[in-house]
């Protein structure tokens, strides 16, 4: 099998090519030593999305926050931390046991079961501890058989039925919230990784922005697709300041290239064309700009069929101009091998233009126009030469025809003179012509 790429995002190479690239890059895995120096001078920029995918946003001055969160208590229980979830889990059962234990103790106190040896409502409940144990046995359906409700107290029978219903509701809510929290695909993001740096280099004759994504598990991410957005402050024509304006970055949504088959690490490519927000940005402008690129990977977890989203971001200092990623997928005899030690490694491409994509396109258009004008001038000169040659040939033909006509006239005149001379001679003096000559 060859190393031909069938997909724009796929990279398959041999071990030998990988070793060649490994000799180019230094051991730190990020090209030459000037990378950290160039980007280290850039001032610190606050992130909207951290490298681990968490949004660096804090909400303040929210009115009725508690009421709004309690109105959606199930989502609140699913979103809170596990420590608080376990606390709610334990308190929900303990408080319900204590509440119904108190109710049964009050019923026993009302009917005098605490003072009499024979209980009317609940047998063998003569203290609060006994009432609490009876509440636990009723709600958990343990039923040891020592404490039970008699038929002579309807209020106790009603409370037993009511506690059983409330216990089922609590079980359904708490267990459902715990299961939903356990089944959340949020931890699946721990095995979905983005490259630490993004790169800018030429690909298929175009200047492209590239970053790499990988899946550390063998289980697939179904319907995986990628998205990217540029976050940058700007001022409108009316003078309005927008602190974080969000602009979509095209990674092949219209053509369907944004949908990927994430089995091995894939390099995501954004072509810097006329519709790209980086069309007029050169390397020098990149080093002084302040923006953030938020990259998103979405898909369904194969085991649970739940949608997961993995996020990361790149600031201007994390974009390497003139670098490419080293190959990580190598072809063996009967299988393909992925080397994740090369996942973040890059190597320098000195031939990468330092200008913007717009300037590069203008240079190419000027070069093509010069070539076209040069070809047009050559065609005009060639046509002129051909016309001159045709005119010269016509003149030569006319001269030859005149010469031929003059020669024919001379020959005809000479023949007529000779006949006239023969006619003037006497018969016996005329030359005899042999028959063979005739």
């Amino acid at each position: 099998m060859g190393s031909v790429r069938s997909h724009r995002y796929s990279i398959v190479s041999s071990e030998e090519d990988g070793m060649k690239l490994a000799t180019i890059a230094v051991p730190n895995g990020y090209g030459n030593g000037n990378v950290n120096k160039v980007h280290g001078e850039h001032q610190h920029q606050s992130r909207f999305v951290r490298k681990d995918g968490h949004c660096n946003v804090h909400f303040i001055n929210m009115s009725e926050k508690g009421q709004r969160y309690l109105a959606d208590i199930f989502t609140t229980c699913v979103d809170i931390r596990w420590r608080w979830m376990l606390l709610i889990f334990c308190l929900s059962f303990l408080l319900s046991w204590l509440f119904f234990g108190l109710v049964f103790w009050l019923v026993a106190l009302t009917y005098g079961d605490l003072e009499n040896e024979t209980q009317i409502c609940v047998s063998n409940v003569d203290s609060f501890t006994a009432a609490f144990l009876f509440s636990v046995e009723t709600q958990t359906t343990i039923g040891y058989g020592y404490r039970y409700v008699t038929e002579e107290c309807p209020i106790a029978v009603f409370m037993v039925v009511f506690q059983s219903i409330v216990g089922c509701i609590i079980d359904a809510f708490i267990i459902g919230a715990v299961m939903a929290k356990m089944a959340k695909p949020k931890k699946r993001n721990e095995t979905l990784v983005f490259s630490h740096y993004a790169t800018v280099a030429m690909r298929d004759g175009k200047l492209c922005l590239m970053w790499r994504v990988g899946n550390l598990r063998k289980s697939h991410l179904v319907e995986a697709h990628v998205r990217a957005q540029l976050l940058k402050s700007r001022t409108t024509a009316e003078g309005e300041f927008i602190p974080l304006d969000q602009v979509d970055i095209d990674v092949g949504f219209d053509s369907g290239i944004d949908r990927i088959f994430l089995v091995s690490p894939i390099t995501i490519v954004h072509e810097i064309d006329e519709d790209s927000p980086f069309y007029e940005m050169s390397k020098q402008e990149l080093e002084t700009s302040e923006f953030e690129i938020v990259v998103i990977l979405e898909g369904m977890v194969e085991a649970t069929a739940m949608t997961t989203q993995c996020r990361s971001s790149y600031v201007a200092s994390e974009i390497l101009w003139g670098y490419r990623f080293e190959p990580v997928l190598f072809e063996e005899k009967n299988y393909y091998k992925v080397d994740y030690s090369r996942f973040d490694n890059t190597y320098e491409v000195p031939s990468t233009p330092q200008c913007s994509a717009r300037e590069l396109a203008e240079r190419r258009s000027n070069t093509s126009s010069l070539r076209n004008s040069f070809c047009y001038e050559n065609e005009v000169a060639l046509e002129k030469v051909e016309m001159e040659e045709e005119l010269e040939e016509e003149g030569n033909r006319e001269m030859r025809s005149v010469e031929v006509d003059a020669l024919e006239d001379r020959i005809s005149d000479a023949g007529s003179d000779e006949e006239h001379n023969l006619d003037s001679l006497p018969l016996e003096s005329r030359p005899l012509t042999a028959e063979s000559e005739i």
Side-chain angles (χ1 to χ4, degrees):
M1 297 177 66
S3 59
V4 179
R5 263 182 286 158
S6 60
H7 194 276
R8 159 176 153 184
Y9 289 159
S10 62
I11 298 178
V12 179
S13 61
S14 62
E15 184 75 28
E16 183 180 357
D17 294 337
M19 295 303 294
K20 290 179 181 178
L21 293 175
T23 58
I24 297 176
V26 295
N28 62 4
Y30 301 114
N32 55 20
N34 296 329
V35 174
N36 295 330
K37 180 180 178 180
V38 172
H39 295 274
E41 297 175 357
H42 198 281
Q43 63 181 3
H44 178 71
Q45 178 182 348
S46 299
R47 287 183 178 273
F48 189 74
V49 178
R50 293 197 292 263
K51 297 294 287 185
D52 57 0
H54 292 87
C55 297
N56 190 23
V57 180
H58 299 275
F59 301 103
I60 60 173
N61 300 329
M62 294 176 58
S63 61
E64 301 179 354
K65 178 180 178 180
Q67 297 179 7
R68 296 178 185 273
Y69 275 60
L70 288 176
D72 189 12
I73 185 64
F74 185 81
T75 305
T76 303
C77 293
V78 174
D79 289 341
I80 60 177
R81 294 180 177 273
W82 272 107
R83 60 175 70 97
W84 299 110
M85 186 64 207
L86 293 176
L87 180 62
I88 294 174
F89 182 87
C90 297
L91 288 178
S92 61
F93 289 105
L94 287 174
L95 293 177
S96 63
W97 295 338
L98 288 172
F99 172 76
F100 286 103
L102 179 62
V103 170
F104 286 120
W105 181 79
L106 293 175
V107 170
L109 180 62
T110 303
Y111 283 88
D113 292 345
L114 300 180
E115 300 175 355
N116 302 328
E117 294 182 358
T118 302
Q119 288 78 19
I120 300 174
C121 290
V122 182
S123 178
N124 298 321
V125 174
D126 53 2
S127 63
F128 179 78
T129 304
F132 175 76
L133 292 176
F134 176 73
S135 174
V136 173
E137 294 175 9
T138 302
Q139 188 167 333
T140 57
T141 66
I142 295 176
Y144 291 113
Y146 183 71
R147 301 176 183 87
Y148 54 91
V149 178
T150 63
E151 300 176 355
E152 299 176 0
C153 186
I155 186 65
V157 175
F158 173 78
M159 291 307 302
V160 168
V161 174
F162 183 70
Q163 184 179 7
S164 299
I165 295 173
V166 172
C168 291
I169 294 174
I170 293 175
D171 291 343
F173 180 83
I174 297 298
I175 295 175
V178 171
M179 291 300 298
K181 192 172 181 63
M182 291 177 62
K184 280 181 63 176
K186 188 176 181 180
K187 293 300 180 182
R188 181 66 171 88
N189 298 343
E190 299 295 332
T191 53
L192 298 173
V193 292
F194 288 91
S195 59
H196 188 75
Y197 286 99
T199 63
V200 175
M202 298 295 295
R203 173 171 284 196
D204 297 329
K206 297 180 180 179
L207 202 62
C208 297
L209 172 68
M210 296 172 282
W211 64 91
R212 181 176 278 175
V213 296
N215 181 15
L216 302 181
R217 287 186 180 272
K218 289 187 176 181
S219 59
H220 295 184
L221 196 65
V222 183
E223 294 292 333
H225 58 277
V226 292
R227 294 189 295 114
Q229 285 189 332
L230 173 67
L231 306 181
K232 186 178 181 179
S233 302
R234 73 179 184 93
T235 304
T236 63
E238 295 78 14
E240 179 187 3
F241 177 73
I242 303 177
L244 285 177
D245 187 28
Q246 300 183 9
V247 180
D248 285 336
I249 298 176
D250 183 24
V251 289
F253 176 78
D254 296 334
S255 58
I257 303 178
D258 62 324
R259 294 185 289 272
I260 57 177
F261 183 50
L262 192 59
V263 177
S264 62
I266 293 177
T267 301
I268 309 300
V269 179
H270 163 64
E271 293 183 359
I272 305 178
D273 52 11
E274 294 84 356
D275 299 328
S276 173
F278 307 104
Y279 187 59
E280 299 181 356
M281 184 175 294
S282 63
K283 180 182 179 181
Q284 185 177 4
E285 294 175 352
L286 174 66
E287 295 175 354
T288 58
S289 299
E290 288 190 3
F291 61 86
E292 183 175 355
I293 300 175
V294 179
V295 292
I296 302 171
L297 172 63
E298 294 179 336
M300 290 189 299
V301 181
E302 189 177 29
T304 61
M306 298 183 69
T307 303
T308 184
Q309 185 182 88
C310 183
R311 298 177 296 269
S312 187
S313 67
Y314 301 100
V315 294
S317 59
E318 295 172 344
I319 299 177
L320 308 181
W321 190 289
Y323 286 79
R324 289 192 187 129
F325 289 102
E326 291 187 9
V328 294
L329 183 62
F330 304 100
E331 184 178 358
E332 298 294 337
K333 183 178 295 184
N334 297 321
Y335 63 95
Y336 291 94
K337 179 179 66 176
V338 177
D339 186 4
Y340 270 100
S341 64
R342 300 172 178 267
F343 184 79
D344 290 319
N345 291 7
T346 59
Y347 64 96
E348 188 175 4
V349 183
S351 60
T352 304
Q354 307 294 318
C355 62
S356 63
R358 179 177 182 178
E359 294 176 357
L360 183 62
E362 291 176 353
R363 291 179 184 177
R364 290 180 177 177
S365 63
N366 293 335
T367 304
S368 62
S369 62
L370 290 175
R371 290 179 180 176
N372 294 334
S373 62
F374 179 73
C375 294
Y376 175 74
E377 292 175 356
N378 289 344
E379 291 179 358
V380 171
L382 183 60
E383 290 179 357
K384 186 177 181 181
V385 171
E386 290 178 352
M387 292 178 62
E388 292 178 354
E389 290 179 353
E390 290 178 357
L391 292 174
E392 185 177 355
E393 288 181 359
E394 290 179 357
N396 293 335
R397 285 198 215 98
E398 293 178 356
M399 292 178 65
R400 288 175 185 172
S401 63
V402 171
E403 291 177 356
V404 169
D405 294 340
L407 182 59
E408 289 178 351
D409 293 341
R410 291 175 185 175
I411 293 172
S412 62
D413 293 342
S416 62
D417 292 342
E418 185 177 356
E419 290 178 356
H420 178 72
N421 293 333
L422 289 174
D423 292 338
S424 63
L425 290 174
L427 182 61
E428 60 275 2
S429 63
R430 292 181 184 180
L432 299 178
T433 304
E435 184 179 357
S436 59
E437 293 178 359
I438 294 172

